[in-house]
Amino acid sequence: MSEQPAPRGQLMVVATPIGNLGDLTPRALALLERADAVYCEDTRHSRTLFSAHGISPRQRLLALHEHNEMSASVDIIERVARGELVVLISDAGTPGISDPGAKVVAEVVGAGFDVSTAPGPTAIIGALSVSGLPTDRFVMEGFLGRKAGERAQSYETWRREPRTIVFYESPQRVTTTLVELARVLPERRVAVVRELTKLHEEVLRGTVQDVATQLANREVQGEIVVVLEGARAVAAPAPEVVRRALRESLSRGASVRDAVAEVVEELGVARRETYALAVSLRDDEVR
Ligand code: SAM
């Protein structure tokens, strides 16, 4: 396997392919072969992975899903305490990443046992790496909310989010999401990454507006990750510019509160400092 001895009395979080079966690492394969128990999301799905790699399931495949994560944790802790090697996988990619697994890990750690990993594929990192967008800082949003209001809230937050934004999307919803996003952030760059590592792998890159138009004119299938550029840093406006904008607003009869709200929205400046400036301008006028 590697220089490390085969682990015992431990939970191993093992990544599996997100499409191409050849992406199972030799170390992951060896762990799946040696494990005393393999907890997986869907036993039928994992049986396919096992048979593709010539691994015998030998009754070791056990189901772990969001509804039994706590009870499975109790079994896993007992096994680890007995010195067994327990492996945790999900249907695809890295367990615990928008998949079951995080609670089990927290319980095993909480019980004082070792948790380690054989890392490997995850759709987020794969998508980010081919997006062509900045990868130095990013934020992972999982799946967006289904309700229009929840999604609108996410888009509003992203107006000022400087990090690259990554989220999972379904083929049924991706066009609607991009069309909605085009109303808020039309000029941001985006990469819609589809079917990574599979036969029909494709990356659509462009502005949100361009990609929304491309998607609206075609059928979309397969698994998708969206990578969206973060807010570009803009130079802070000079104090004189903020002062002038506030004066204009106050002279039109706006209250201090409304003038501040207007200027903060327009120039993207900090509310606190702008408020203090607006109060001093109003006081000067009164004097
Ligand atoms: N744990 C997984 C991981 O590490 O990538 C993610 C699980 S999440 C339930 C499944 C979602 O990941 C899919 O709906 C899709 O958005 C994305 N995904 C999985 N495989 C993909 C692939 N080959 N290409 C693009 N996106 C993929």
Side-chain angles (χ1 to χ4, degrees):
M1 181 161 57
S2 72
E3 311 78 48
Q4 287 177 316
R8 307 294 317 160
Q10 199 177 56
L11 172 66
M12 291 292 297
V13 180
V14 173
T16 57
I18 56 168
N20 190 319
L21 289 174
D23 290 337
L24 190 77
T25 66
R27 190 159 165 251
L29 180 57
L31 286 162
L32 290 174
E33 278 167 344
R34 289 179 194 179
D36 297 299
V38 178
Y39 281 80
C40 60
E41 270 187 278
D42 179 343
T43 51
R44 279 166 310 174
H45 184 100
S46 296
R47 227 169 262 279
T48 312
L49 176 76
F50 272 48
S51 83
H53 287 279
I55 312 168
S56 160
R58 297 198 319 265
Q59 320 295 324
R60 297 171 306 149
L61 275 172
L62 300 159
L64 175 89
H65 38 77
E66 57 176 317
H67 304 297
N68 76 343
E69 239 184 295
M70 292 315 277
S71 59
S73 300
V74 175
D75 297 341
I76 292 172
I77 290 168
E78 280 174 15
R79 284 177 179 276
V80 170
R82 283 203 297 270
E84 290 189 13
L85 167 61
V86 179
V87 164
L88 175 63
I89 60 175
S90 63
D91 278 353
T94 301
I97 308 299
S98 291
D99 265 345
K103 283 188 203 146
V104 167
V105 170
E107 290 298 311
V108 175
V109 169
F113 293 102
D114 268 0
V115 179
S116 184
T117 181
T122 177
I124 320 160
I125 301 297
L128 192 62
S129 70
V130 297
S131 67
L133 295 170
T135 56
D136 47 350
R137 296 172 71 216
F138 67 92
V139 51
M140 163 58 175
E141 294 275 16
F143 286 96
L144 300 189
R146 276 171 180 262
K147 295 187 184 142
E150 290 168 345
R151 290 203 304 277
Q153 177 73 57
S154 298
Y155 309 149
E156 272 313 306
T157 308
W158 299 344
R159 276 182 192 275
R160 293 200 165 78
E161 172 55 69
R163 296 167 292 184
T164 298
I165 298 139
V166 190
F167 57 96
Y168 292 135
E169 193 44 287
S170 78
Q172 294 78 26
R173 280 204 308 263
V174 68
T175 306
T176 308
T177 299
L178 267 283
V179 168
E180 288 172 353
L181 203 47
R183 291 191 202 116
V184 187
L185 303 166
E187 296 307 321
R188 285 271 181 97
R189 289 182 297 158
V190 70
V192 172
V193 182
R194 204 174 66 79
E195 296 285 87
L196 265 180
T197 78
K198 301 190 213 177
L199 187 61
H200 298 291
E201 176 173 317
E202 180 186 39
V203 186
L204 299 177
R205 299 183 184 86
T207 64
V208 170
Q209 182 67 70
D210 290 344
V211 174
T213 309
Q214 289 179 52
L215 289 173
N217 290 312
R218 57 175 279 184
E219 202 190 320
V220 188
Q221 287 179 346
E223 298 196 279
I224 295 165
V225 180
V226 180
V227 185
L228 176 69
E229 180 185 29
R232 288 174 213 159
V234 280
E240 192 40 49
V241 173
V242 183
R243 229 174 266 129
R244 198 181 314 129
L246 281 171
R247 262 196 220 103
E248 270 173 30
S249 184
L250 291 168
S251 67
R252 272 187 267 117
S255 65
V256 165
R257 215 175 100 192
D258 290 348
V260 169
E262 203 177 295
V263 171
V264 165
E265 171 71 23
E266 191 185 325
L267 300 178
V269 284
R271 184 173 300 275
R272 220 159 145 205
E273 286 81 356
T274 310
Y275 192 85
L277 199 53
V279 170
S280 75
L281 286 174
R282 185 202 52 195
D283 292 349
D284 286 351
E285 264 173 34
V286 172
R287 266 181 232 128

